[in-house]
Amino acid sequence: KIHNYPIPKTGSYSIFITFLIILILNNFFNIFADDFELVIIGSLLIFIVGFLDDVFNLSAMKKIVL
């Protein structure tokens, strides 16, 4: 897709960093459930695929395989 104006590709980084900060605070204050590790792993995988898509402009099939 070709955009008529520049589109920032790094917007998800700030969301992911905020999410990690919340998870670190959760370790100190134990606000959420103990099985939160699965959420961490899942969000990390989604972040990595998004990062690789930003860098290498992956096709939809490659993103599904990853």
Side-chain angles (χ1 to χ4, degrees), residues 6-23:
I7 301 294
K9 293 185 174 186
T10 58
S12 62
Y13 301 163
S14 60
I15 295 170
F16 184 72
I17 290 170
T18 304
F19 182 71
L20 284 180
I21 290 170
I22 290 171
L23 291 177

Side-chain angles (χ1 to χ4, degrees), residues 13-53:
Y13 301 163
S14 60
I15 295 170
F16 184 72
I17 290 170
T18 304
F19 182 71
L20 284 180
I21 290 170
I22 290 171
L23 291 177
I24 291 169
L25 290 175
N26 182 50
N27 285 337
F28 293 115
F29 300 112
N30 202 15
I31 300 168
F32 302 111
D34 293 332
D35 295 331
F36 221 55
E37 290 85 17
L38 296 175
V39 175
I40 296 170
I41 293 169
S43 63
L44 184 62
L45 290 174
I46 291 171
F47 174 76
I48 290 171
V49 170
F51 176 77
L52 292 174
D53 182 39

